[in-house]
Amino acid sequence: MIELAPSILSADFARLGEQVNRAAEGGGTVIHVDVMDGHFVPNITLGPQLVRSLRKATKLPLDCHLMIEDPDLYIPAFADAGADWMSVHYEACRHLDRTLNLVKNHGLQVGVVINPATPVGMLSEVLDIVDYVLVMSVNPGYGGQKFIPNSLRKVRELAQMREQRGLDFAIEIDGGVGMENIADVARAGVDWVVAGSSVFHAPDPAQAVREMQRAAEEALSVKV
Ligand code: DX5
Ligand code: ZN
C-alpha cells in the first residue's frame, strides 16, 4: 500500500486551506510541508506560523521536511506549531544522532533525508532510530524538477537493508514524481510518495491524487 503526500510547495499559498482539502479529498493521507531557509537550499519558503495555520485547516498529519541549517534551533518551534512528522537532512546535521533524538523527544515521528549524491550507506548508524527515510529524487530547493532515476536503486538498497536488519522504518521519496514514473517508483518499494507539481499544478488536485494512487496500486498488483 502506497500513501500519497501532496507537497504544498506547488500550491497557491493564497488558497492553501482549500487546496490542501482538495488533495485530501482525492486520498492524500499526509501533507508534506517544505521548509527552506535560503542557506541549505537556494530558496526560502515558510516558517512555524504557516504550519500553525495549516494545523487548523486540515486533520491530516503534517510532514515537515526541514531543508535548513542548524535545524536544532527550529525543531521546538515547528513541533509547537503542530508538526506531526519531521525530517532533517543528513547533510545539514553535524550531530545527526542528537538532532534525530531531539525530534523524537518532542513526540514526533522522525525522518532522515538524503540528497541525490549521498549514498544510503551513510545512514547505517541511524536506521534503527528513525521512523522514516526520505530519499530525495531531485536536488532539494524547488518543485517541478526532473526525477533522478538513480534514486530507485537507492530505494531498493534501503528496502534490502531494512529487511536484513529486521527494521521497520518507512521509505519516502520526494521530487519529480508524476503519472509518467509513479509505477516505477511504486515497484522500487517506497511506502510514501511526495508529489508537488503533479498534484497542485493539475486542474483538479483531488483527481490528480486519485489517479496517481490508482497507477501505483496497479503497478503493485501487476508485480505480484
Ligand atoms: C523539493 C521539495 C519537494 C517538492 C517536490 O526540494 O522537497 O517536496 O515539493 O516537488 P515536485 O513533486 O514538483 O518535484
Ligand atoms: Zn520535500
Side-chain angles (χ1 to χ4, degrees):
M1 186 66 196
I2 295 211
E3 312 246 358
L4 223 82
S7 163
I8 63 163
L9 183 63
S10 297
D12 178 353
F13 276 34
R15 298 188 296 136
L16 200 49
E18 175 197 325
Q19 294 226 305
V20 161
N21 286 324
R22 262 325 266 158
E25 278 163 37
T29 48
V30 52
I31 300 301
H32 186 81
V33 181
D34 287 307
V35 180
M36 304 186 186
D37 66 351
H39 291 278
F40 179 65
V41 289
N43 196 3
I44 299 177
T45 54
L46 54 93
Q49 195 179 343
L50 191 127
V51 171
R52 196 175 294 280
S53 300
L54 259 181
R55 182 64 291 154
K56 290 183 218 143
T58 178
K59 288 192 167 57
L60 292 184
L62 301 176
D63 171 24
C64 288
H65 173 192
L66 301 187
M67 286 162 274
I68 61 177
E69 277 169 17
D70 291 327
D72 297 32
L73 295 180
Y74 302 96
I75 286 165
F78 280 101
D80 186 55
D84 300 281
W85 306 352
M86 196 177 290
S87 62
V88 294
H89 271 257
Y90 163 83
E91 301 85 2
C93 298
R94 186 167 293 174
H95 304 289
L96 182 60
D97 177 276
R98 175 184 289 152
T99 304
L100 294 173
N101 279 301
L102 180 63
V103 174
K104 254 177 134 77
N105 292 341
H106 279 85
L108 311 185
Q109 299 284 304
V110 64
V112 64
V113 195
I114 44 171
N115 278 340
T118 303
V120 296
M122 304 309 280
L123 300 181
S124 169
E125 304 308 318
V126 296
L127 288 179
D128 56 346
I129 303 176
V130 297
D131 297 295
Y132 61 106
V133 175
L134 171 46
V135 175
M136 287 307 299
S137 41
V138 297
N139 286 292
Y142 303 97
Q145 301 182 80
K146 202 170 164 308
F147 185 83
I148 298 174
N150 213 18
S151 319
L152 296 184
R153 193 185 46 72
K154 291 167 78 174
V155 168
R156 285 191 288 265
E157 213 179 308
L158 264 171
Q160 216 170 28
M161 287 165 87
R162 178 173 61 186
E163 199 183 319
Q164 278 164 1
R165 291 175 55 177
L167 298 171
D168 62 356
F169 57 84
I171 303 176
E172 185 176 32
I173 198 161
D174 184 7
V177 182
M179 281 303 281
E180 67 291 353
N181 57 8
I182 182 104
D184 293 337
V185 165
R187 282 190 217 106
V190 302
D191 303 293
W192 303 334
V193 175
V194 176
S197 48
S198 53
V199 169
F200 290 110
H201 289 175
D204 179 6
Q207 195 187 338
V209 171
R210 227 174 274 128
E211 283 172 5
M212 284 180 70
Q213 186 94 53
R214 192 178 311 135
E217 276 159 27
E218 265 172 34
L220 291 182
S221 65
V222 168
K223 188 183 154 194
V224 187

